Amino acid sequence: MQSSTDADDKDIGAVGDVVHRFVTYWETLDWQALAELWDHAGDVTYMAPEIDDILVGWETIASHLARTRSRLVNATIEMPRSRFRLITGDVAVAIFIVRWRMQSVESDVVRETAARVTAVLRRRGSHWRIVHYMEESYFLPERAEASHFLEDLESPFR
């Protein structure tokens, strides 16, 4: 019989896999695959610096992603730090830092930005799906090491 620690490790690995696929699908501009990482429910939420609102519900988020898809030519993403933690057996949190390099249809100039991201994932059947995504701007100079703010993620929960 598998111990709860082994099961937790497997779930944490699955949550990490979702986050890594999230980054990969943005880089490959695979919008269908990106959409499959989300729970298509009415209570999912999305917050990011490029919008001045909280998007609620899959249809609203999908509409925003469709607008983004129509403007984005390419993207590369680095993820220098990430941490994943189970909150309950069916809810997990992912905290990660990303550095985006994007080019849009409006300009050949590659724009760079960094962000700290919190994502909440919920288990649906055998799959983990994103139910909340919050991204905040973060100053991360070129070739700089991301801070170690994630190193002690467990301390607030002790």
Side-chain angles (χ1 to χ4, degrees), residues 57-67 69:
W58 169 246
E59 294 300 322
T60 304
I61 294 167
S63 178
H64 172 69
L65 293 175
R67 283 189 304 278
R69 176 181 65 224

Side-chain angles (χ1 to χ4, degrees), residues 97-139:
I97 296 171
V98 290
R99 184 193 314 266
W100 297 85
R101 290 182 180 85
M102 300 167 284
Q103 187 177 11
S104 68
V105 296
E106 291 88 8
S107 171
D108 289 338
V109 175
V110 175
R111 295 178 307 140
E112 295 186 25
T113 186
R116 293 186 287 203
V117 179
T118 301
V120 177
L121 295 90
R122 178 170 42 203
R123 186 195 318 266
R124 291 292 194 199
S126 62
H127 300 284
W128 287 94
R129 299 290 185 237
I130 300 168
V131 296
H132 171 75
Y133 180 90
M134 191 278 181
E135 182 178 303
E136 70 170 338
S137 297
Y138 177 61
F139 179 69

Side-chain angles (χ1 to χ4, degrees), residues 30 51 68 119 141 150:
D30 188 340
I51 53 176
T68 302
L150 296 173

Side-chain angles (χ1 to χ4, degrees), residues 81-85 93-96 148 150-153:
R81 291 214 185 279
S82 60
R83 294 289 184 270
F84 314 112
R85 181 177 184 276
V93 65
I95 301 172
F96 51 103
H148 293 273
L150 296 173
E151 294 302 321
D152 199 16
L153 177 62

